[in-house]
């Protein structure tokens, strides 16, 4: 059985807290044993990060750091197949998805922040003084120190590297905890980092949240900042702990994202885009739409088209080229999603399609699959319309006017990403500007430019990452004022 270890101070080691199982969600089989880090392991990782900040790593120039991060990007690309296999073993996602999104973005995250580090400048401000001699202020960007990186399971390599790359580009060191559900690509990345970076710059600890490695990171006094992606309630719990010692936090959290389809939209594009926005990665993307709003004249036609699309997905083995739809991540997560399927029916939903567990009559029946599911007919205050489900499911609501749909879309405690489908350019601007969310896509979904600010409002997050916004979070801005 494969054993996935911790990386602390450049050495692969076992965890003091023993081992836990890594399960393949496609068939429920244990695929690896994972080293479980204790609080003492986390402390050693933090001390290693501190030591190299004051030594070898701290002495590198921005250009040198950028060059090393480019090497990391290249090495991920060279080992593409190893990363692909590891990501599929952890998540069960279709090979085509992991090969087109997760692994290339993992490499791209390092490349973009390597490039950005090389061109990173700082501002200066000329100032007049009463004696007429003047002064110049310049801004020095200082690394924060050891950054704790805590990640979810849905896009494991992509979301981890999205934080690790800018943190390192800005000169910090990191202690990374991947989700307990998806430890494999993080361990491969640790192998790459151990080849390329000085010991202690990238430390990897495996484990869980409360009472485990996650809590040990958030409570450690020498961790300067925490960057976290995961559930909103976990973010709230971490924020309370981070208040002690005033750790900087950056949070990318949950969503209950609206997709709004106006009568004047390109119908086929809107259907295809909404199929992607609801069902990509089995609905397990924070940006996925779980609330779909369709203008009345095209409502019935749209519901039917989305149903036909949802029923055309092929659920199955991730390595089968026909497969377009994988399992949920775990037995526990499937129980949660199925409980929402039951709740929707109790709340009075019309089930347009899905709502159950598919049957394969082979080992996949031990996996954690659910059917792509669509509901209609619920009032906007139904719990399944309010709460994040994080599965392959949406409710489709009818609307009659722009102001009505904006009000419904904004009536949520979340505000991460919205998509708006219309060919009316004025309406596109009007609606986008009034939607309460961090991101609005018009006539597309998940079209990412990695330089743009990424994050959510309300319970969907705190702060922005991406491009210069990431580098701003991962550095302190110090003003140095020199009297001339
Ligand atoms: P989660 O909050 O359960 O866990 C995320 C990570 O936090 C895991 O590594 C976990 O071990 C750790 N953790 C849990 N409790 C902790 C605690 N008290 N202290 C420290 N660490 C703790 O989230 P998940 O189930 O892994 O991921 C799914 C969630 O992530 C969804 O809500 C989804 O919307 C959200 N998400 C958001 C974004 C975004 O960019 N906004 C991206 C992906 C996923």
């Amino acid at each position: 059985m494969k054993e996935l270890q911790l990386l602390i101070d450049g050495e692969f080691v076992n965890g003091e807290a023993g081992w836990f199982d890594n399960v393949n969600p496609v068939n429920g089989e244990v695929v690896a044993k994972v080293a479980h880090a204790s609080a003492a392991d986390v402390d050693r990782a933090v001390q290693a990060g501190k030591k190299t900040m004051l030594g070898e790593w701290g002495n590198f120039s921005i250009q040198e750091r950028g060059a090393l991060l480019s090497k990391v990007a290249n090495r991920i690309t060279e080992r593409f197949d190893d990363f692909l296999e590891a990501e599929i073993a952890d998540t069960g996602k279709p090979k085509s998805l992991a090969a087109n999104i997760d692994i290339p973005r993992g490499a791209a995250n390092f490349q973009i922040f390597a490039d950005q580090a090389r061109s990173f400048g700082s501002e200066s401000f000329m100032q007049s003084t009463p004696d007429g001699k003047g002064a110049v202020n310049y801004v020095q960007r200082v690394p924060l120190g050891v950054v704790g990186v805590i990640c979810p399971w849905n896009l494991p390599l992509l979301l981890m590297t999205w934080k690790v790359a800018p943190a390192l580009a800005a000169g910090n060191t990191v202690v990374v905890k991947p989700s307990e559900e998806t430890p494999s690509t993080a361990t491969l990345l640790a192998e790459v980092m151990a080849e390329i970076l000085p010991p202690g710059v990238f430390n990897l600890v495996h484990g869980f949240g409360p009472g485990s490695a996650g809590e040990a990171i958030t409570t450690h006094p020498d961790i300067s900042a925490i960057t976290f992606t995961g559930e909103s309630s976990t973010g709230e719990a971490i924020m309370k702990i981070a208040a002690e010692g005033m750790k900087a936090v950056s949070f990318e959290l949950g969503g209950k994202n609206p997709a709004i389809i106006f009568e004047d939209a390109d119908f086929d594009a809107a259907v295809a885009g909404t199929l992607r926005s609801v069902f990509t990665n089995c609905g397990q993307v924070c940006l996925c739409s779980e609330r779909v709003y369709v203008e009345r004249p095209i409502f019935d036609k749209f519901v039917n088209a989305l149903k036909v699309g949802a029923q055309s997905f092929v659920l199955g083995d991730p390595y089968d080229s026909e497969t377009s739809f994988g399992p949920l991540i775990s037995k526990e997560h499937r129980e949660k999603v199925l409980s929402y399927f039951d709740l929707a029916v109790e709340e009075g939903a019309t089930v347009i399609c899905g709502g159950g567990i598919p049957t394969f009559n082979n080992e996949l029946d031990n996996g954690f699959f659910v059917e792509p599911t669509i509901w209609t007919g619920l009032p906007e205050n139904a719990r399944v319309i309010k709460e994040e489900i994080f599965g392959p499911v949406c409710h489709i609501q009818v609307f009659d006017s722009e102001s009505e749909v904006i009000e419904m879309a904004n009536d949520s405690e979340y505000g991460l990403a919205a998509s708006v489908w219309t060919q009316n350019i004025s309406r596109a601007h009007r609606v986008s500007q009034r939607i309460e969310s961090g991101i609005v896509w018009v006539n597309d979904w998940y079209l990412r430019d990695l330089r743009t600010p990424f994050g959510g409002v309300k319970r969907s997050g705190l702060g922005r990452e991406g491009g210069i916004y990431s580098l701003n979070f991962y550095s302190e801005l110090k003003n140095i004022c020199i009297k001339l």
Side-chain angles (χ1 to χ4, degrees):
M1 171 91 41
K2 204 183 270 185
E3 291 186 347
L4 305 178
Q5 291 181 295
L6 319 176
L7 178 70
I8 298 176
D9 204 7
E11 301 282 334
F12 280 97
V13 294
N14 294 341
E16 280 189 353
W19 298 89
F20 61 92
D21 289 343
N22 180 24
V23 172
N24 181 346
V26 173
N27 53 21
E29 282 175 12
V30 176
V31 285
K33 294 271 175 209
V34 189
H36 189 176
S38 67
D41 291 323
V42 170
D43 180 53
R44 272 191 292 283
V46 175
Q47 298 316 326
K50 272 180 74 177
K51 189 178 70 189
T52 190
M53 284 281 302
L54 298 171
E56 195 178 0
W57 182 245
N59 288 329
F60 282 137
S61 67
I62 286 180
Q63 286 74 16
E64 286 167 327
R65 291 198 298 264
L68 291 174
L69 297 183
S70 285
K71 277 192 189 169
V72 172
N74 292 340
R75 194 73 182 114
I76 294 172
T77 306
E78 279 166 23
R79 295 192 62 185
F80 193 92
D81 289 344
D82 296 340
F83 277 94
L84 188 59
E85 193 186 319
E87 202 73 307
I88 293 170
D90 276 356
T91 62
K93 62 179 69 181
K95 185 179 171 191
S96 54
L97 185 67
N100 285 317
I101 295 185
D102 298 72
I103 313 305
R105 256 295 297 280
N109 285 338
F110 283 102
Q111 195 52 59
I112 184 167
F113 287 108
D115 292 344
Q116 196 127 30
R118 288 191 195 100
S119 57
F120 210 18
S122 82
E123 291 175 300
S124 69
F125 304 85
M126 301 303 293
Q127 184 182 351
S128 57
T129 54
D131 63 7
K133 291 182 178 166
V136 60
N137 295 269
Y138 68 91
V139 179
Q140 184 195 10
R141 291 170 185 270
V142 185
L144 301 172
V146 185
V147 176
V149 182
I150 303 179
C151 309
W153 45 258
N154 59 333
L155 303 164
L157 182 70
L158 186 161
L159 291 172
M160 188 210 328
T161 53
W162 176 241
K163 293 173 174 299
V164 168
L168 298 185
N172 303 284
T173 58
V174 291
V175 175
V176 179
K177 195 197 84 61
S179 167
E180 54 274 29
E181 307 285 356
T182 51
S184 299
T185 41
T187 311
L188 279 181
L189 184 67
E191 288 179 18
V192 168
M193 295 300 203
E195 278 172 31
I196 294 172
L197 298 180
V201 176
F202 177 95
N203 301 279
L204 176 71
V205 293
H206 292 298
F208 303 80
S212 179
E215 183 178 318
I217 290 174
T218 57
T219 52
H220 199 294
D222 293 333
I223 291 266
S224 311
I226 298 167
T227 177
F228 168 77
T229 301
E231 286 186 16
S232 301
S233 54
T234 312
E236 285 162 350
I238 291 176
M239 197 164 172
K240 286 185 191 142
I241 293 169
E244 189 90 18
M246 217 55 95
K247 292 178 171 56
V249 292
S250 176
F251 289 157
E252 296 180 345
L253 307 175
K256 188 75 185 176
N257 307 303
I260 301 173
I261 297 98
F262 286 97
E263 184 195 2
D264 61 21
D266 174 336
F267 187 84
D268 294 342
V271 170
T274 307
L275 275 173
R276 284 177 57 230
S277 79
V278 174
F279 295 112
T280 294
N281 201 33
C282 207
Q284 302 170 119
V285 180
C286 53
L287 306 166
C288 274
S289 323
E290 290 190 0
R291 298 182 292 145
V292 178
Y293 297 94
V294 181
E295 202 165 7
R296 192 174 298 277
I298 57 166
F299 182 79
D300 291 339
K301 188 177 163 202
F302 190 92
V303 170
N304 193 48
L306 209 67
K307 174 185 169 185
V308 170
Q311 289 179 331
S312 71
F313 287 120
V314 180
L315 284 67
D317 184 295
Y319 284 101
D320 189 333
S321 60
E322 298 289 297
T323 299
S324 52
F325 210 86
L328 293 170
I329 189 69
S330 65
K331 187 164 176 285
E332 294 69 32
H333 188 51
R334 180 164 77 170
E335 277 161 14
K336 177 183 156 189
V337 171
L338 289 174
S339 75
Y340 278 108
F341 284 9
D342 291 342
L343 178 62
V345 174
E346 276 167 37
E347 290 187 305
T350 303
V351 181
I352 300 296
C353 63
I357 297 176
T359 310
F360 299 94
N361 294 318
N362 58 33
E363 60 153 13
L364 300 188
D365 287 329
N366 299 323
F368 312 128
F369 291 85
V370 295
E371 292 169 333
T373 297
I374 298 174
W375 305 310
T376 58
L378 286 171
E380 279 294 287
N381 63 359
R383 268 184 58 203
V384 297
I385 294 186
K386 291 285 168 225
E387 297 173 18
E388 182 187 44
I389 300 170
F390 219 53
V393 55
C394 69
H395 177 265
I396 314 183
Q397 188 71 278
V398 67
F399 72 88
D400 290 301
S401 72
E402 214 174 281
S403 56
E404 181 196 14
V405 75
I406 290 169
E407 196 179 320
M408 288 195 288
N410 288 344
D411 184 17
S412 169
E413 59 183 23
Y414 295 103
L416 185 56
S419 45
V420 177
W421 297 84
T422 175
Q423 298 201 69
N424 177 329
I425 185 77
S426 300
R427 167 178 280 159
H429 286 290
R430 234 176 10 242
V431 174
S432 304
Q433 289 174 19
R434 289 181 58 198
I435 295 277
E436 295 166 0
S437 72
I439 304 153
V440 180
W441 280 290
V442 176
N443 297 330
D444 211 325
W445 176 77
Y446 204 174
L447 183 62
R448 294 280 291 119
D449 178 329
L450 304 185
R451 296 167 303 176
T452 57
F454 182 91
V457 303
K458 301 195 256 186
R459 285 189 83 220
S460 288
L462 194 64
R464 293 291 178 274
E465 297 198 37
I468 192 70
Y469 308 96
S470 292
L471 295 174
N472 282 346
F473 173 72
Y474 293 106
S475 30
E476 291 285 6
L477 301 185
K478 190 203 291 181
N479 180 50
I480 298 179
C481 176
I482 298 177
K483 174 78 192 300
L484 300 178

